[in-house]
Amino acid sequence: MNKPLVGALLSVLFLGAGIAPAAATTAAGPAAATEPATVTSPAAPADTRAKAVTFAGTVALSNCSGSVVRTPSSLPGDPALVLSNGHCLETGFPGPGEVVLNKSSTRTFTLLNAAGSGVGTLRASKIAYGTMTDTDVSLYQLTRTYAQIESSYGIKALELAASHPVAGTAITVASGYWKRTYSCAIDGFAYRLKEGAWTWKDSVRYTSACQTIGGTSGSPVIDDATGKVVAVNNTGNEDGQRCTDNNPCEVDEKGTVTVREGINYAQQTYGIVPCIGTGSRIDLNRAGCTLPKP
């Protein structure tokens, strides 16, 4: 996994030693990244891609990245939601089959503007949903509404795309933790992605240009053309190992295992949309909702 980072020591989370759905890091803490940075593929010049995606609406967690998100039907008066990874939860990694639902939380998030500057602090009222089964996602409900956040900071939530992403789509992974973006494309999809004890379904595989690092876990994966969130960044194969912590492998419908060293992945988010009802309430019984239940 893109290892979450802990406090000033930047300790790596994941089974105590270091799993991080994506890649490990030896870099300095976020204070060293004083200017937002963009990493782009040669086929996608930075000057054209940077115009499509900014840091507005992204957030920095204590150990990961995230974003304020809404569904197409969210209302201004609904409590705002923050999207990140299940392995970024302050309560620790959910075990296989475990689902966290409506658990009280006072976690704080630094809200960023378009330039990547922190403009305010948002606070959670609860972990609305979290799991590492089938997907790697967490959703925090905030104490402020979408309208209140926009009124205070002039920043709108990012919208979750409601349809399955498409291979070849130009994307940007925007890390609020590092104030850094990674630009590449969706290379394809892994039927199953297995890492240690966890298995994820229909994962997004990036082209090699997106070399995400520890702390980018939970970053929104944004469709450059629409500006909508299509996935949440979570892991990558660091050392070429097979299906181990920090070294996810792909497993196809026939059970064939493929290892892609240096390639990173994300979990699709369109499946979250049907599970969010009135007032930002997570309702796992809504029509079309396939998120794992407790």
Side-chain angles (χ1 to χ4, degrees):
M1 294 176 230
N2 285 125
K3 299 182 180 70
L5 304 177
V6 179
L9 296 178
L10 301 187
S11 302
V12 177
L13 291 179
F14 213 80
L15 302 179
I19 221 177
T25 181
T26 56
T34 55
E35 295 295 333
T38 301
V39 179
T40 59
S41 66
D47 60 346
T48 59
R49 298 180 68 107
K51 296 175 184 177
V53 175
T54 71
F55 292 98
T58 64
V59 299
L61 285 68
S62 59
N63 61 342
C64 287
S65 300
S67 56
V68 180
V69 296
R70 60 181 294 272
T71 70
S73 61
S74 293
L75 298 176
D78 290 341
L81 297 172
V82 162
L83 169 71
S84 190
N85 285 148
H87 78 265
C88 293
L89 289 172
E90 71 270 33
T91 52
F93 293 179
E98 182 181 357
V99 172
V100 179
L101 193 64
N102 295 323
K103 182 179 178 65
S104 179
S105 174
T106 57
R107 193 167 194 180
T108 58
F109 313 87
T110 301
L111 179 66
L112 305 185
N113 63 14
S117 298
V119 294
T121 299
L122 305 177
R123 184 176 297 276
S125 61
K126 65 181 179 180
I127 302 169
Y129 185 86
T131 193
M132 289 178 65
T133 298
D134 294 349
T135 185
D136 184 7
V137 66
S138 62
L139 288 166
Y140 287 85
Q141 183 171 303
L142 302 183
T143 58
R144 298 192 196 184
T145 66
Y146 294 112
Q148 288 170 333
I149 292 172
E150 185 173 357
S151 175
S152 296
Y153 307 111
I155 295 175
K156 295 182 178 181
L158 299 176
E159 184 176 327
L160 295 173
S163 58
H164 193 290
V166 177
T169 298
I171 55 172
T172 297
V173 182
S175 171
Y177 185 93
W178 289 111
K179 301 179 183 179
R180 181 177 181 181
T181 61
Y182 302 80
S183 294
C184 59
I186 295 176
D187 182 57
F189 306 93
Y191 174 71
R192 297 289 184 268
L193 192 67
K194 181 173 175 58
E195 180 172 346
W198 290 271
T199 300
W200 303 304
K201 297 180 178 179
D202 199 19
S203 302
V204 172
R205 181 198 314 117
Y206 304 145
T207 53
S208 60
C210 279
Q211 291 295 306
T212 49
I213 62 174
T216 63
S217 288
S219 299
V221 180
I222 301 170
D223 182 324
D224 288 355
T226 66
K228 295 181 180 180
V229 176
V230 296
V232 57
N233 179 67
N234 85 307
T235 197
N237 187 292
E238 298 177 11
D239 307 311
Q241 296 180 22
R242 176 185 169 110
C243 314
T244 62
D245 294 350
N246 303 315
N247 291 282
C249 63
E250 298 184 23
V251 183
D252 68 14
E253 294 90 334
K254 298 180 179 179
T256 302
V257 175
T258 301
V259 174
R260 303 177 190 269
E261 183 175 0
I263 294 300
N264 295 299
Y265 300 88
Q267 301 307 307
Q268 298 184 44
T269 51
Y270 78 97
I272 296 173
V273 174
C275 305
I276 300 176
T278 303
S280 299
R281 179 173 175 268
I282 305 299
D283 183 355
L284 302 179
N285 294 313
R286 295 189 84 220
C289 179
T290 59
L291 286 176
K293 298 179 180 179

